[in-house]
Amino acid sequence: MDHKAELPPHVLIFPFPAQGHVNAMLKLAELLCLGGLHVTFLITPGIHRRLLLHANVQSRFETYTGFRFESLPEELPGGNPHSADRLMQLYYALNIAAKPFLRRFLVSSRLGDDSRRRPVTCIIADGILSLALEIAQDVGTPIIFFRTISACAFWSYFCIPELIKAGELPLNGDDMDALVANVRGMEGFLRRRDLPSFCRIADLGGHDFQMVLNETQQTPRAQGLILNTFEDLEAPILSQIRTACPKLYTIGPLHSHLKARLREKRKLQSTSSNSLLQEDRSCLRWLDEQPPKSVIYVSFGSIAIMTPDQRMEFWHGLVNSGKRFLWVIRPDSVPGKDGEQHGSTELEKGTKERGYMVGWAPQEEVLAHPAIGGFLTHSGWNSTLESIVEGVPMICWPYFADQQINSRFVGEVWKLGEDMKDTCDRVTVEKMVNELMDVKKDHFTKSADEMANLAAKSLSEGGSSYSNLDRLIQDITLMVVAS
Ligand code: UDP
């Protein structure tokens, strides 16, 4: 008898190589390791280097003997993307480079002579990498997709063919506040401006639009779909998704799920950082000196960029609000400007008195800090979940892709803050910061606390995300590779 059959199942996790995707999928990798599975995490050499340099992956994963990183053979153009354009460039390059590598890897894992690991028994691929589906089906390895966006965003992508059929796409005319009728479950509140940013085009034949459309339509072909969300947050939309993808595993919020399971196993460790940039921890010391719930945290994630004018509007709005603020400005987030752009004496003075700026922050720890009272965010899905878990109300300034729809749900459906979409003039910024931190503070804090409690409930033993992760591990254990 083959002794390898006695070994744990072996999962190959293949994320799209960008911060938000790698972050969520590495948390899943650690959860699967805790569940006793063996995991290979496939990544570009550049992302691997950055993780080793800036995150605590080495010390965390050396405790799991069944875990290993595997690097794709070469660096890709557009690697470590900082803007939407470079993201697309990376996507196309990855499609060319990863296909032959993945096929070779799966075949040689079967022939391999590593007596401590089974051949790959299941692939968990990023839901925008359907290249993995083709190869998995060719070689007979079961595959599950993990889409790292919200359920509401996924469902709106999935309904794009309906929108085209009904004549709602391409968008006609300038009325961006007109309601959209053909995303089932979102009638009555979804406006044109809330559709994924890819929909704001006149020509539906464009590569990028077609890519998003086609990738999403492949999802039901996999054995299952994992979403980083929880039932109480997105129940009505999840039931829509189940009509197309019945094998759905909602196991989020993953970062918090991981913490809960580590506690359960009495594995004490500091935050599981998956940062690709150097965290400036001095902001935590600054926060220690601020009163409770007095600081608005401002960060637009790893990809969003802004013009120099937009930066100045935010800066004026924040200083004019009179509130304390912690602002993450990545060095590459304001293209076209070399060096620091200085503000007026008044701006500099207001910032010195009440503000703190860093290039990259330990965000999970920042949002958990008692001094934080609000989050001005780009509505990336990881950031949104991190805010929800900590009960921190949000002001949303979405940049692209799923962020437009996430921010609509935050403002209109979950009532967890305000949607500032499509504008950032200083008067609006000042007004919204004051509303969030002052005028409507109690109102937003109450709904944010309630949602944080529901998130925690989903992660406790018997809760939906907790049970769904167990079910996922069980289903992976039962998977059989075709011979
Ligand atoms: N993040 C961080 N430090 C920062 C800004 C962001 O650690 O200063 C992390 C954040 O906690 C989140 C991720 O980067 O987990 C960003 O992912 P998200 O989906 O919010 O946005 P994206 O970067 O993909 O646009």
Side-chain angles (χ1 to χ4, degrees), residues 19-21 23 275 279 297 299-304 328 358-364 377-384 386 400 403:
Q19 177 74 75
H21 299 244
N23 192 12
S275 262
E279 292 169 348
Y297 171 58
S299 169
F300 302 122
S302 63
I303 298 166
V328 175
V358 290
W360 190 250
Q363 182 164 302
E364 277 185 45
T377 171
H378 70 310
S379 298
W381 189 234
N382 290 289
S383 296
T384 305
E386 289 159 14
F400 86 132
Q403 297 155 16

Side-chain angles (χ1 to χ4, degrees), residues 334-366:
V334 189
K337 271 280 155 201
D338 293 331
E340 273 297 287
Q341 217 191 344
H342 292 287
S344 62
T345 324
E346 231 157 87
L347 275 185
E348 301 284 357
K349 186 165 166 275
T351 306
K352 211 164 160 200
E353 279 171 11
R354 297 183 297 280
Y356 199 79
M357 295 192 188
V358 290
W360 190 250
Q363 182 164 302
E364 277 185 45
E365 288 174 78
V366 165

